[in-house]
Amino acid sequence: MNARLNIRLDRLLANLGYGSRREIQALARNGRIALDGQILRDVEKRFAVHDDFAARLTIDDMPLDPLPGLVAVLHKPVGVTCSHKEAGPLVYALLPERWRRREPAISSVGRLDKDTSGLLLLTDDGAFLHQAISPRRHVPKRYIATLDRPLRGDEAATFASGALMLNGEDKPLAPAALEPLGAQQAALTITEGRYHQVRRMFAAVGNHVVALHRVAVGGLALPDDLAPGAWRLLDDAQRAAVLQIQQA
Ligand code: URA
């Protein structure tokens, strides 16, 4: 197995938000760090860190946080913002507190509006983030929109045309697939990520979105058993599913 990292343990733990290197050395001196059940005092030593390291290393008898390179799926509730800076409740407050001090930092993979709920990916993996949001990859995002007015019947053709121009833009939208689910509800799959795109698309056909929920990104659906506000880590197959990479 190849090592994912070769790193001084105090640096790894500092990067995971456990404290400054000095604080981590104090934890080790006090016998609070263990590897395979044995107290580990030399945290200046380099370790070849494999995927199983997080399960082997404990701090105060608790398994280590996920190693750098994580991807999590969060069921974003309405009313929280995808931002590190804005006032008000932030999606990051739904993650473990220590994760806010991780380096590299965790950020959302694209954004959902404050009023949108559903599947939000969070990662500290720059390569994954880049692939998932790259316009060239056309990762589909599926939403359920609840509308203020009944569908007229021509929306699917307009959205599929590849000619719809949003207000204030000079490039038409890529074709998008609309599937009516009821008089005032539809599933919409888009492959771009323009600002307020779904709400603006329905505004462009004379409607108004009253509720918006993202149910899938790429081949990954929001798990039915993930309650609003809850999150879980993705495994390799689920990460590949997001990017629609076929695994051997
Ligand atoms: N489109 C929107 O209008 N809002 C979102 O949150 C996502 C897509």
Side-chain angles (χ1 to χ4, degrees):
M1 185 169 37
N2 289 329
R4 286 178 59 186
L5 288 168
N6 191 296
I7 190 169
R8 273 173 61 141
L9 189 57
D10 55 356
R11 175 173 290 282
L12 174 68
L13 298 184
N15 288 351
L16 292 177
Y18 283 90
S20 64
R21 276 158 74 173
R22 187 183 287 255
E23 286 165 336
I24 286 154
Q25 282 158 12
L27 286 178
R29 267 198 312 278
N30 294 328
R32 293 168 60 187
I33 302 179
L35 183 65
D36 297 327
Q38 304 291 312
I39 302 277
L40 189 87
R41 295 193 196 270
D42 182 6
V43 284
E44 292 179 24
K45 198 172 140 197
R46 294 183 86 88
F47 283 84
V49 174
H50 301 279
D51 283 335
D52 65 352
F53 198 73
R56 294 172 54 210
L57 193 107
T58 55
I59 299 180
D60 289 336
D61 298 323
M62 298 297 290
L64 188 66
D65 286 348
L67 294 174
L70 68 80
V71 183
V73 54
L74 170 78
H75 185 160
K76 179 192 172 297
V78 164
V80 296
T81 306
C82 295
S83 162
H84 281 289
K85 297 192 198 99
E86 283 169 45
L90 306 180
V91 288
Y92 302 102
L94 298 167
L95 300 174
E97 197 267 336
R98 186 166 43 240
W99 289 21
R100 277 173 249 167
R101 295 190 295 278
R102 287 172 68 109
E103 188 58 51
I106 292 177
S107 56
S108 64
V109 177
R111 287 181 172 207
L112 291 177
D113 301 336
K114 186 173 182 184
D115 292 336
T116 302
S117 57
L119 193 166
L120 182 71
L121 297 170
L122 296 144
T123 190
D124 60 355
D125 182 333
F128 179 87
L129 174 70
H130 178 76
Q131 287 182 294
I133 63 174
S134 163
R136 267 178 286 144
R137 216 168 173 110
H138 309 292
V139 171
K141 287 150 289 247
R142 182 176 165 89
Y143 295 85
I144 306 291
T146 305
L147 305 166
D148 192 31
R149 284 167 227 146
L151 291 160
R152 296 189 306 223
D154 60 348
E155 295 88 348
T158 305
F159 291 169
S161 68
L164 179 64
M165 197 76 89
L166 291 178
N167 234 342
E169 298 202 1
D170 55 10
K171 189 167 169 267
L173 290 175
L178 179 105
E179 191 189 320
L181 299 175
Q184 290 180 215
Q185 197 171 60
L188 178 62
T189 303
I190 61 175
T191 57
E192 300 170 286
R194 300 200 202 178
Y195 182 65
H196 292 334
Q197 182 169 338
V198 174
R199 293 174 201 274
R200 290 165 72 211
M201 287 173 75
F202 281 103
V205 293
N207 215 321
H208 176 72
V209 172
V210 292
L212 190 60
H213 183 66
R214 184 154 73 184
V215 291
V217 174
L220 183 79
L222 181 66
D224 286 339
D225 60 349
L226 195 63
W231 61 271
R232 70 177 59 132
L233 294 176
L234 296 193
D235 61 25
D236 288 347
Q238 291 166 321
R239 290 168 68 130
V242 170
L243 303 176
Q244 301 191 308
I245 296 169
Q246 304 296 327
Q247 289 201 306

